[in-house]
């Protein structure tokens, strides 16, 4: 009645009709098996209550109270979300360790007549599979990094490359962060575990025989860390450098960063710490541009006085091998489409034997 899943790919190709995560909503929100639905047999408060009783009072009492709650919640799921499941339905159930919560729910489903099985080791088995893939073993992919100053529409180019059939990995999209001081988005970033699950899902769909294009990021995208196996691939990768006139970049950022530029209080809060790096006089001039609502002047000043020097310093430290450069005179749709075509030709025309794989050592 248990499934012993060891590799990440097995969690994607399990063959069951549904994967059910019976952990609490908070556990599920942090991370879960791709495609799983959350039918908690203990909610957040109930799990905390049972855990407290287990530690402070009595294991027996905690199990008795927990069992009652589990079956009450399971009954509601059977009458609600699972009411339309047919006789031959095959669910795969897991909890934290593959123990009491999933065992109890799986048992109840089997008593009804459904072919329910549980994951040996539960979510911890899944995390071990992700950890082996992204932390312990070298990845089989060869990458080309897309570099360039802030405002050169690298993320937009990644999307256009993907539409052309080029394999891409959009780390900023997966991290829900634009990878810069002002890069936070309205939606919160995923947990580190959730970020790694998202990366693993994309990599599982890619063909190792073809190159994958990744934006040249630092090892941290917002608060999310690039896992070591992927970081090793990125460090070994050659670059394609894109460029555009600073006026075009300023206009592009004015649109792309509209959310943070429109929230002047938050914008000031993010820029204030740079007084110790760029000087009080420089940051005060930025604040004056905010007061005057001169967004184009502000984005250009931020690039000239902060982003561009930081990128130049970082690139010099990396000293990457460059496959080529793509200079754009503008950043409108026509220019970006043309740039994507040139980048595709460079990537697909490069001999992959000359691109090293990532070495974790």
């Amino acid at each position: 009645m248990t499934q012993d899943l060891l590799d990440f790919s097995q969690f994607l190709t399990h063959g069951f009709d549904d994967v059910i995560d019976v952990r609490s909503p908070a556990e599920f929100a942090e991370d879960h098996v791709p495609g799983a639905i959350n039918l908690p047999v203990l909610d957040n408060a109930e799990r905390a209550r049972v855990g407290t009783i287990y530690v402070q009072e009595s294991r027996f009492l905690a199990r008795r109270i927990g069992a009652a709650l589990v079956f009450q919640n399971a009954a509601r799921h059977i009458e609600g979300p699972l009411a339309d499941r047919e006789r031959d339905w095959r669910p795969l159930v897991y909890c934290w360790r593959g123990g009491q919560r999933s065992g109890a729910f799986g048992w109840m489903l089997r008593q009804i007549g459904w072919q329910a099985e549980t994951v040996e080791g539960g979510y911890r088995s899944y995390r071990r599979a992700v950890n082996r893939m992204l932390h312990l073993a070298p990845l089989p992919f060869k990458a080309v990094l897309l570099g360039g100053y802030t405002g050169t529409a690298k993320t937009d180019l990644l999307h256009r490359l993907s539409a052309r059939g080029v394999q891409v990995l959009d780390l900023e999209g997966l991290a829900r962060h634009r990878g810069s001081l002002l890069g936070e988005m309205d939606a919160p970033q995923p947990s580190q575990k959730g970020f790694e699950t998202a990366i693993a899902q994309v990599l599982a769909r890619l063909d190792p025989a073809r190159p994958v294009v990744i934006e040249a990021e630092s090892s941290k995208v917002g608060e999310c860390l690039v896992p070591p196996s992927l970081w090793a691939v990125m460090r070994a990768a050659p670059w394609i450098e894109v460029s555009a006139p600073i006026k075009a970049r300023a206009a592009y950022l004015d649109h792309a960063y509209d959310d943070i530029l429109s929230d002047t209080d938050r914008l000031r809060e993010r820029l204030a710490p740079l007084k110790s790096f760029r000087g009080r006089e420089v940051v005060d001039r930025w604040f004056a541009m905010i007061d005057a609502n001169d967004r184009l002047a502000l984005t250009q000043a931020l690039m000239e006085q902060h982003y561009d020097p930081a990128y130049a310093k970082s690139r010099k430290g990396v000293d990457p091998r460059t496959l080529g450069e793509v200079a754009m005179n503008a950043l409108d749709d026509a220019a970006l489409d043309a740039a994507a075509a040139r980048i595709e030709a460079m990537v697909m025309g490069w001999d992959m034997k000359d691109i090293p794989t990532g070495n974790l050592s």
Side-chain angles (χ1 to χ4, degrees), residues 68-82:
L69 292 170
V70 164
F71 284 107
Q72 288 170 18
N73 290 327
R76 282 193 288 270
H77 297 323
I78 291 167
E79 291 178 333
L82 303 181

Side-chain angles (χ1 to χ4, degrees), residues 169-175 195 199 214 217 221 226 230 234:
L169 178 62
D170 180 8
L171 290 176
E172 291 186 2
L174 299 179
F195 181 53
I199 291 173
I214 308 172
E217 305 280 359
V221 187
V226 177
L230 177 58
M234 293 173 67

Side-chain angles (χ1 to χ4, degrees), residues 271-284:
L271 295 177
L274 291 181
K275 290 181 179 180
S276 59
F277 295 97
R278 303 301 177 193
R280 179 177 296 274
E281 184 179 342
V282 169
V283 177
D284 284 345

Side-chain angles (χ1 to χ4, degrees), residues 30 105 178 241 254 284 288 361:
E30 181 184 23
F105 193 53
R178 288 170 294 226
E241 191 80 8
D254 179 50
D284 284 345
S361 62

Side-chain angles (χ1 to χ4, degrees), residues 248-260:
R249 292 163 52 206
Y252 182 85
L253 285 183
D254 179 50
H255 172 73
Y257 282 61
D258 177 69
D259 53 342
I260 184 68

